[in-house]
Amino acid sequence: MNTISELFGSLVFNDETMKERLPHDTYKSLHKTIEEGRDLDINLANIVANAMKDWAVEKGATHYTHWFQPMTGITAEKHDSFISPLKDGTAIVEFSGKELIKGEPDASSFPSGGLRVTFEARGYTAWDPTSYAYIKDKSLFIPTIFCSYGGEALDKKTPLLRSMDALNNQALRILRLFGNLEVKRVITTVGAEQEYFLIDKDLFNKRKDLFFCGRTLFGSKPPKGQELDDHYFGAIKPRIALFMNELNEELWKLGVLAKTEHNEVAPAQHELAPIFSNTNIATDHNQITMETMKRVASRHGLVCLLHEKPFAGVNGSGKHNNWSISTDTGTNLLEPGNSPYENAQFLLFLSSVIKAVDEYQDLLRVSVATAGNDHRLGANEAPPAIVSMFLGEELSSILESIENDKVYGGHKKCEMEVGINTLPHFPKDSTDRNRTSPFAFTGNKFEFRMLGSSLSISGPNIILNTIVAEELKEYADELDKAKDQEDFNVILNDIIKRTIKNHKRIIFNGDGYSELWQKEAKKRGLLNLKTTVEALPYFISDKNIKLFADHKIFTETELKSRYEILIEAYSKAINIEALTMIDMVRKDIIPAVSNYTMKLSQTINEKKKVGAEIACDVEYELLKKLSSLESCMYKKVGDLDNAIIGVKDNSDNSLICAKYYRDQVFSIMQELRAIVDEVETNISSDVWPFPTYADLLFKI
Ligand code: ADP
Ligand code: MG
């Protein structure tokens, strides 16, 4: 196999393979079942399972696994072989419809946020036929949802599918109101651009912080960082090029549409962008991409870091979630059209997003809140923690003229009436040059840029789909009341004008990194939730409980269990980091400083023996400085230890506990780091126990 088209999807049981391998009737019924979202008939499942198994075995597979996305944020799998024993001691290769449709992994070790206490410990996985099965490492991977026996979602796929349905329902109502009877399904589409770092595996293994936490907890700045911007889109080094080639091939085999790759701003940082697909598949594919990056890196003696902030003082890694709404007939509903009719529809969908982002800023912020991402948001690289929306000058002034009944361009001659006048054309290219906005309109889609690099994109897309579904619902309810076409236009105009007027505070086209914006945003009453701990409680506010319940995304119980999981994950992450710091300081850094100060003392003594006139002021000053830093360090590490012991007095309530970690533990970690980094800049490279930033970032 060599050409890309032969390679592409070769390990995927995709539509083409199904068509080829399934009896025509079965293929058609399967399609129908999927399209209508009905449960799979067992007889049908048996035939599909058998064909899938034959195909997989031919490709060398021996096992199958239900592949699911528990609340850990990574994927889980449990492998069973295709072998079934017979009474005579022999075995046959078998795979039944039942095994395809349903699995029963023990759920008790996955985070359930309390659902486990209330309900049965066992969970079940169920095939998601809308995402194709594929082969990896001799196993057939079957994408599945993961639920408790009571039907509560324990995973990230179930609510995502629910949110796609919610949006479909409401968007279809709107299309019908516009007289469109042709469209059968509306889907959201996503292209997730993924940033990552590659570093040498041997160096990685020498750093406990990278090993345990995925980020460096110490490290003084190298003489050269990213200030020259000479890495961004720079020539790709041969070792990295080999990695990228293999990564692409692996992803293509699995049907992932890996498209562009380039070096990023920071040294050793890179990015991969796929071609967009429907949100469910894009989410599965992003998980596959992250996992494949790690696997392929390892084969090249590299480690792929997906942490949001592996290095202080160097750009962190994020993920850009490009999102749009599309019909099964291929129309992008966020694409401005050519006729007044198309424009009116576009403006209504645009309005729904504006209103959604303003009314649910809190949820968008919550959807990207993790301990790792706290290092990025608000720093001078990623979008700020304030959610706002970039529309570009042209579109903004079009909205302004609609709001104020002015002609676009400023002349006060005739009105800009939605559904009557044609929208002026605005060049698409001028829409996307503000990289500081957390949520930018880029011509025919929105780019949500606050996501951290390791995050499952499921969460943010659940929120996006749900909040837009809610606004479309409100609009549809209102438009339903129209008596005739004229009345419809009046209501439509009113909705759009009202939305712009009431929600324009969320639109900001300026520099999101500037201090001025922080002040301005405050004046506008926008939220600025700087840390995960501040953001997460909004997840379970009354307003949001109602939203999720109304659209059947999360029950109140499911929502609260997720909140618990997220808040605990925050505390756990800080706890592991604190313990790792203590370990590194006590076992490696203090011994290194002792070692070096002893050498300095010996040198001073030896010099003194040679004669009183020999200068030893340098050694003396260094000895004094390092000894004093060493005492500070020793004291600080003791403080950190005590702070961790203090956790138990605050552990009754998970939010109080997380706050304690942020205010009492994390703050000491930062102080300890400052001391250690100063030690590093004053000590001989010979005795420093870890690879430095310069080694990690430039020796590749
Ligand atoms: P850039 O941001 O570098 O200008 P593009 O605008 O072409 O690049 O696309 C960035 C990402 O957005 C790609 O992953 C692309 O597939 C995705 N994308 C493009 N159109 C859509 C769409 N309608 N829905 C979702 N994602 C899209
Ligand atoms: Mg982008």
Side-chain angles (χ1 to χ4, degrees):
M1 246 185 260
N2 36 27
T3 69
I4 296 180
S5 60
E6 276 175 321
L7 213 57
F8 191 81
S10 59
L11 295 179
V12 183
F13 196 70
N14 53 21
D15 201 58
E16 193 191 355
T17 314
M18 285 190 217
K19 212 174 198 165
E20 202 180 285
R21 298 247 170 186
L22 294 173
H24 187 63
D25 285 354
T26 313
Y27 171 78
K28 283 192 94 171
S29 323
L30 180 64
H31 244 263
K32 209 162 163 325
T33 315
I34 293 171
E35 271 161 26
E36 292 170 7
R38 283 185 290 117
D39 282 345
L40 208 59
D41 171 73
I42 187 70
N43 297 316
L44 190 63
N46 277 328
I47 305 173
V48 178
N50 198 48
M52 229 187 228
K53 179 229 22 180
D54 285 346
W55 169 82
V57 170
E58 276 169 40
K59 299 258 178 194
T62 54
H63 288 66
Y64 71 91
T65 174
H66 276 200
W67 181 65
F68 56 103
Q69 302 175 19
M71 293 303 297
T72 50
I74 53 173
T75 59
E77 47 200 73
K78 173 180 164 242
H79 300 257
D80 284 298
S81 77
F82 285 125
I83 291 199
S84 260
L86 295 179
K87 283 207 178 96
D88 63 1
T90 60
I92 51 162
V93 175
E94 204 175 50
F95 185 49
S96 68
K98 198 169 145 264
E99 289 166 310
L100 167 64
I101 300 178
K102 199 164 175 177
E104 300 191 9
D106 184 357
S108 59
S109 295
F110 293 107
S112 78
L115 282 181
R116 210 164 44 232
V117 185
T118 339
F119 305 96
E120 278 230 47
R122 287 182 76 77
Y124 69 89
T125 49
W127 183 33
D128 164 22
T130 57
S131 181
Y132 300 132
Y134 60 93
I135 295 172
K136 200 188 78 190
D137 294 339
K138 295 192 166 210
S139 276
L140 172 68
F141 279 67
I142 301 159
T144 58
I145 58 157
F146 179 44
C147 288
S148 77
Y149 259 95
E152 284 81 15
L154 293 173
D155 68 344
K156 305 208 166 201
K157 191 191 259 286
T158 309
L160 181 67
L161 293 172
R162 290 175 185 164
S163 75
M164 289 173 74
D165 275 343
L167 190 122
N168 171 54
N169 294 337
Q170 302 306 331
L172 274 182
R173 285 181 66 197
I174 298 282
L175 292 183
R176 297 287 182 261
L177 284 163
F178 272 85
N180 187 327
L181 303 173
E182 191 196 356
V183 170
K184 288 208 182 64
R185 196 165 168 83
V186 174
I187 53 157
T188 51
T189 50
V190 166
E193 301 167 71
Q194 177 72 48
E195 289 181 340
Y196 60 99
F197 278 90
L198 285 176
I199 60 166
D200 188 273
K201 198 197 268 182
D202 291 335
L203 299 176
F204 170 90
N205 284 329
K206 289 185 184 134
R207 294 212 46 142
K208 289 178 194 166
D209 46 4
L210 284 176
F211 192 85
F212 289 122
C213 315
R215 77 174 181 104
T216 54
L217 300 170
F218 303 111
S220 63
K221 284 196 183 68
K224 177 182 182 229
Q226 63 188 50
E227 55 279 86
L228 299 178
D229 282 333
D230 52 354
H231 191 255
Y232 193 47
F233 281 74
I236 295 170
K237 290 179 185 163
R239 189 175 176 195
I240 303 300
L242 285 175
F243 160 86
M244 286 181 172
N245 288 342
E246 195 176 322
L247 174 65
N248 281 337
E249 286 192 6
E250 291 285 307
L251 291 175
W252 290 335
K253 281 192 235 168
L254 297 175
V256 178
L257 293 151
K259 171 89 171 155
T260 26
E261 54 196 24
H262 60 78
N263 286 350
E264 262 301 327
V265 177
Q269 193 185 30
H270 314 278
E271 182 189 288
L272 181 141
I275 297 174
F276 70 95
S277 51
N278 95 45
T279 306
N280 181 31
I281 291 176
T283 305
D284 285 357
H285 281 184
N286 184 249
Q287 292 292 343
I288 292 176
T289 301
M290 292 193 287
E291 197 264 338
T292 309
M293 281 174 169
K294 295 201 166 212
R295 206 155 34 91
V296 173
S298 179
R299 289 189 211 140
H300 291 259
L302 298 164
V303 173
C304 171
L305 301 178
L306 290 173
H307 194 283
E308 287 71 23
K309 191 74 181 173
F311 307 100
V314 171
N315 271 8
S317 299
K319 185 136 61 184
H320 289 174
N321 192 81
N322 294 274
W323 178 92
S324 193
I325 314 172
S326 176
T327 67
D328 58 350
T329 50
T331 307
N332 181 347
L333 296 170
L334 291 177
E335 174 109 45
N338 294 316
S339 65
Y341 162 86
E342 287 169 315
N343 286 160
Q345 194 178 287
F346 161 73
L347 285 171
L348 189 68
F349 278 97
L350 179 72
S351 299
S352 73
V353 182
I354 295 172
K355 186 161 184 280
V357 174
D358 186 30
E359 286 182 344
Y360 298 98
Q361 302 158 39
D362 53 349
L363 283 181
L364 288 168
R365 174 66 184 90
V366 165
S367 79
V368 297
T370 62
N373 214 20
D374 279 2
H375 298 282
R376 284 176 72 240
L377 298 177
N380 199 28
E381 52 175 283
I386 306 163
V387 175
S388 69
M389 197 166 178
F390 173 87
L391 290 181
E393 295 302 331
E394 279 85 358
L395 190 52
S396 298
S397 64
I398 290 170
L399 295 187
E400 199 192 316
S401 52
I402 293 173
E403 184 197 349
N404 300 312
D405 296 324
K406 276 191 304 191
V407 163
Y408 172 58
H411 317 285
K412 268 192 180 155
K413 271 186 198 149
C414 71
E415 297 188 349
M416 169 80 226
E417 203 168 331
V418 179
I420 309 286
N421 301 359
T422 311
L423 269 192
H425 264 285
F426 55 94
K428 192 174 153 186
D429 274 348
S430 60
T431 50
D432 181 30
R433 294 309 146 215
N434 184 334
R435 311 303 291 182
T436 66
S437 175
F439 200 89
F441 183 65
T442 54
N444 58 3
K445 61 182 188 294
F446 280 96
E447 186 166 348
F448 185 26
R449 302 196 177 116
M450 290 171 94
L451 288 73
S453 47
S454 66
L455 192 72
S456 158
I457 63 169
S458 164
N461 285 299
I462 293 169
I463 303 297
L464 272 172
N465 295 342
T466 309
I467 63 181
V468 173
E470 167 61 24
E471 308 305 354
L472 292 175
K473 175 178 171 290
E474 284 180 21
Y475 290 171
D477 288 348
E478 209 177 328
L479 288 166
D480 266 344
K481 299 193 186 101
K483 291 186 281 289
D484 50 31
Q485 188 58 45
E486 208 177 310
D487 196 27
F488 180 85
N489 275 351
V490 171
I491 299 178
L492 182 68
N493 261 285
D494 184 54
I495 288 177
I496 293 173
K497 270 192 203 170
R498 194 184 342 126
T499 302
I500 301 167
K501 199 175 166 66
N502 294 344
H503 300 284
K504 63 182 173 194
R505 64 169 187 170
I506 200 72
I507 299 166
F508 177 63
N509 295 321
D511 180 1
Y513 297 168
S514 68
E515 291 253 339
L516 272 176
W517 171 231
Q518 306 263 338
K519 287 196 192 118
E520 167 70 17
K522 196 170 176 183
K523 246 195 262 163
R524 294 190 190 185
L526 300 180
L527 289 171
N528 187 359
L529 305 171
K530 293 211 167 85
T531 64
T532 297
V533 179
E534 275 166 272
L536 285 180
Y538 285 84
F539 201 24
I540 50 169
S541 69
D542 290 344
K543 163 192 119 204
N544 294 333
I545 290 175
K546 182 170 179 327
L547 169 81
F548 290 121
D550 282 354
H551 293 274
K552 301 193 164 43
I553 313 298
F554 297 121
T555 61
E556 186 171 343
T557 318
E558 285 175 327
L559 190 66
K560 289 193 168 155
S561 74
R562 262 155 221 260
Y563 163 77
E564 286 297 328
I565 292 169
L566 291 170
I567 206 111
E568 270 174 31
Y570 175 86
S571 297
K572 282 179 189 163
I574 308 280
N575 188 55
I576 294 170
E577 289 182 351
L579 293 176
T580 306
M581 271 192 148
I582 293 174
D583 184 280
M584 289 171 82
V585 170
R586 291 213 170 125
K587 295 193 181 141
D588 303 296
I589 298 170
I590 289 180
V593 179
S594 277
N595 193 349
Y596 188 57
T597 46
M598 186 188 71
K599 278 188 191 159
L600 289 172
S601 319
Q602 282 169 347
T603 309
I604 294 169
N605 280 336
E606 293 300 317
K607 278 189 174 179
K608 277 188 179 154
K609 274 190 215 158
V610 176
E613 72 282 11
I614 305 285
C616 44
D617 52 333
V618 174
E619 285 81 5
Y620 186 75
E621 283 303 316
L622 260 178
L623 181 58
K624 217 165 78 179
K625 183 165 196 175
L626 283 170
S627 301
S628 130
L629 284 169
E630 193 182 15
S631 318
C632 292
M633 184 161 66
Y634 186 73
K635 185 176 169 301
K636 211 41 105 186
V637 90
D639 292 348
L640 187 55
D641 218 354
N642 286 331
I644 293 175
I645 292 167
V647 169
K648 68 173 187 314
D649 301 328
N650 293 278
S651 57
D652 284 350
N653 175 306
S654 51
L655 182 62
I656 291 176
C657 184
K659 276 190 182 144
Y660 180 87
Y661 269 107
R662 183 194 59 188
D663 300 335
Q664 308 299 325
V665 179
F666 185 68
S667 52
I668 300 178
M669 285 165 58
Q670 282 173 303
E671 289 161 11
L672 178 59
R673 176 182 184 138
I675 304 170
V676 172
D677 289 356
E678 197 177 345
V679 171
E680 189 189 334
T681 54
N682 284 288
I683 204 166
S684 156
S685 325
D686 293 345
V687 300
W688 193 245
F690 312 112
T692 62
Y693 267 30
D695 298 331
L696 293 167
L697 291 167
F698 294 99
K699 285 191 185 163
I700 187 120

